[in-house]
Amino acid sequence: MHLPKVMGFAALALGTSVFATLPALSAETLSIWVRASGANAAQHLVDLWNSGHDDKLELTVIPDNQMVTKLATGVQAGEVPDLISFDLIYMPDFMKAGFLEDLTADLKDDPNYAGVAQAYKDIATYEDKIYGAGFTPDVSILVWNKDLFRQAGLDPEKGPETVQQLHEYATKIHALGDDIYGFYFSGACPGCNIFTTSPMMVAGGAKILPANPGDEPLQGDAIKTVLSEFKAMWDEGLVPESAEADTGTNFVANFSTGKLGIQGAGGFLISDLKANAPNIDFGVGFLPGVEPGQHSAFVGGDVIAIPKGSKHADLAKQFIKWELTDEAQLEGLAKNNILPSRPALADNKYFAEEPRVVTTAKALGIGYVPWVFHFNDMVNSDSSPWIQMLQTAIFDGDIDGAIATAKDAMKQIASN
């Protein structure tokens, strides 16, 4: 049937009488998997998105130690979420395996993506293609007890500027009493030490892990310098004996007693101390290198990506672009005392009254993350060459042998 052209105008005049018969576009529900460690931060972003969008996100928390296997088997079976948030260190393995959607066209020219911490952009890029973005950040910092600094005659507002000065300060703090220690690290925790010890080496110009089979690991004099200072502090009793066997259980617990001077930690410690040890006056700074002015950090936390097989990939891309906006970064993260993944947003109204959080947020901008395959075998396993090097060098005293053995083991792993 042919209708006169005026029918269109008549329909408009009659309001919804014609269009009411057309089916409404239905909103979609997107699934997102998040590892347990990042669930709190992710929930804030999910809630903020859901409050302002017709399309909703449904969050599922996955235990940290199950995420890698769950994604791998899910991709192979065609049963994946629309979005996935996981430990950024696994990005190289996932990208190489072809598990993730290419986001280059969506993010390459996005001004918000351009402002993301370089470490997140580096770890999520493979063969010049972008596969993810920073999502729920964490980063390593140096903390010190200001009261112990004052008692030891040190400036409580300034942390040590080099690892050698750290040793010097630790000596003065331990002199305050046999039950007061200058420094702490978890000697049997590979993850704790890649997070807090490796940045001291990297700040001094060292390279830790090999990016490919032909890459030489453990390069740079700063590796030996840092290990030597740690060994000396251990030999001199500046570190509690319990540190040797600590698998991470007491990674930050000793600092809350008020009898520990200095240690590397993560940004999470600020809120923990304020809530659980409010009487401790503490400072926060960047992890030092071997020369004044050298600083670094290990950028941790989670990246967000889209698994191959996502049923709502286009909407998932919209969420990733949104989570990088000022709204998401400030109202979803900073408002809830969580670091934004764009370092330029460190100075915001929510952090204004807590300069220690501002310093931590800025650490993201100077931090690094190793781009490496087989990170678990290289670093995280209990028998990794990384932790064996630290233990042999610091507790057994064979620094040169420890480095040489770890080099060979890392190159062997990289060749697989």
Side-chain angles (χ1 to χ4, degrees):
M1 181 177 67
H2 176 71
L3 297 176
K5 291 182 180 180
V6 294
M7 182 61 187
F9 296 99
L12 290 175
L14 293 173
T16 60
S17 60
V18 172
F19 296 110
T21 61
L22 298 177
L25 294 176
S26 60
E28 300 286 355
T29 297
L30 286 73
S31 56
I32 177 172
W33 289 355
V34 176
R35 69 165 175 153
S37 296
N40 176 60
Q43 188 67 62
H44 289 300
L45 288 169
V46 167
D47 289 345
L48 184 60
W49 167 275
N50 286 345
S51 69
H53 295 80
D54 292 333
D55 299 302
K56 306 302 182 184
L57 287 173
E58 188 175 84
L59 185 148
T60 299
V61 177
I62 308 296
D64 287 25
N65 61 359
Q66 295 180 20
M67 181 64 85
V68 173
T69 302
K70 194 168 180 65
L71 176 59
T73 56
V75 169
Q76 292 165 3
E79 298 176 357
V80 296
D82 298 303
L83 290 151
I84 187 164
S85 167
F86 55 86
D87 189 339
L88 82 172
I89 204 63
Y90 294 112
M91 247 333 222
D93 292 309
F94 288 167
M95 293 186 295
K96 182 181 180 182
F99 288 169
L100 307 175
E101 290 281 352
D102 181 356
L103 304 178
T104 309
D106 304 277
L107 296 179
K108 186 176 183 180
D109 297 322
D110 186 325
N112 293 323
Y113 177 78
V116 170
Q118 189 62 43
Y120 286 118
K121 292 190 284 188
D122 289 344
I123 199 67
T125 301
Y126 178 57
E127 296 182 341
D128 296 324
K129 294 180 180 179
I130 302 167
Y131 290 90
F135 189 51
T136 53
D138 194 12
V139 68
S140 52
I141 53 175
L142 190 75
V143 296
W144 62 89
N145 185 309
K146 288 187 177 183
D147 288 333
L148 294 181
F149 266 50
R150 293 185 185 97
Q151 294 173 39
L154 302 170
D155 185 344
E157 303 306 320
K158 295 181 180 179
E161 277 295 306
T162 65
V163 67
Q164 297 93 330
Q165 192 173 63
L166 190 158
H167 181 182
E168 174 191 336
Y169 287 11
T171 301
K172 292 181 178 180
I173 290 167
H174 185 50
L176 297 173
D178 291 342
D179 62 339
I180 297 175
Y181 293 91
F183 185 61
Y184 191 79
F185 64 100
S186 297
C189 179
C192 307
N193 282 287
I194 200 71
F195 193 54
T196 60
T197 303
S198 76
M200 300 184 191
M201 300 171 177
V202 171
K207 179 178 180 180
I208 309 298
L209 303 176
N212 55 63
D215 207 8
E216 186 73 15
L218 299 173
Q219 298 181 66
D221 294 339
I223 294 171
K224 184 172 181 178
T225 301
V226 171
L227 291 174
S228 297
E229 294 295 340
F230 274 51
K231 176 185 179 300
M233 287 190 285
W234 173 254
D235 290 345
E236 294 164 19
L238 309 183
V239 180
E241 290 185 3
S242 60
E244 184 174 5
D246 182 8
T247 59
T249 303
N250 293 313
F251 176 40
V252 294
N254 288 316
F255 193 83
S256 65
T257 67
K259 294 188 175 184
L260 180 65
I262 309 166
Q263 80 161 85
F268 62 85
L269 184 60
I270 297 175
S271 58
D272 284 356
L273 287 172
K274 290 172 70 173
N276 301 315
N279 295 327
I280 293 183
D281 186 11
F282 66 99
V284 168
F286 301 144
L287 289 160
V290 299
E291 299 289 343
Q294 294 179 337
H295 301 103
S296 189
F298 190 100
V299 175
D302 287 20
V303 290
I304 190 165
I306 302 174
K308 280 288 180 67
S310 166
K311 295 179 177 61
H312 303 100
D314 288 342
L315 283 174
K317 291 175 182 178
Q318 290 180 30
F319 175 78
I320 291 178
K321 288 175 71 71
W322 172 85
E323 68 95 7
L324 298 176
T325 63
D326 287 11
E327 177 193 10
Q329 295 281 296
L330 296 176
E331 302 305 316
L333 296 177
K335 183 179 180 179
N336 294 293
N337 296 312
I338 300 164
L339 304 179
S341 57
R342 291 166 48 199
L345 297 178
D347 292 303
N348 62 72
K349 64 181 180 181
Y350 297 116
F351 292 173
E353 296 182 1
E354 182 48 274
R356 293 172 295 196
V357 176
V358 175
T359 298
T360 304
K362 290 180 177 179
L364 284 173
I366 65 166
Y368 93 106
V369 59
W371 203 106
V372 62
F373 298 120
H374 314 301
F375 181 82
N376 194 61
D377 294 333
M378 292 267 188
V379 173
N380 263 2
S381 75
D382 293 337
S383 58
S384 73
W386 164 249
I387 193 62
Q388 288 186 348
M389 178 185 75
L390 294 176
Q391 293 175 327
T392 301
I394 298 167
F395 304 127
D396 299 340
D398 183 8
I399 296 176
D400 291 335
I403 295 173
T405 299
K407 272 180 180 280
D408 290 342
M410 287 179 179
K411 287 192 282 189
Q412 180 62 41
I413 293 170
S415 68
N416 294 333

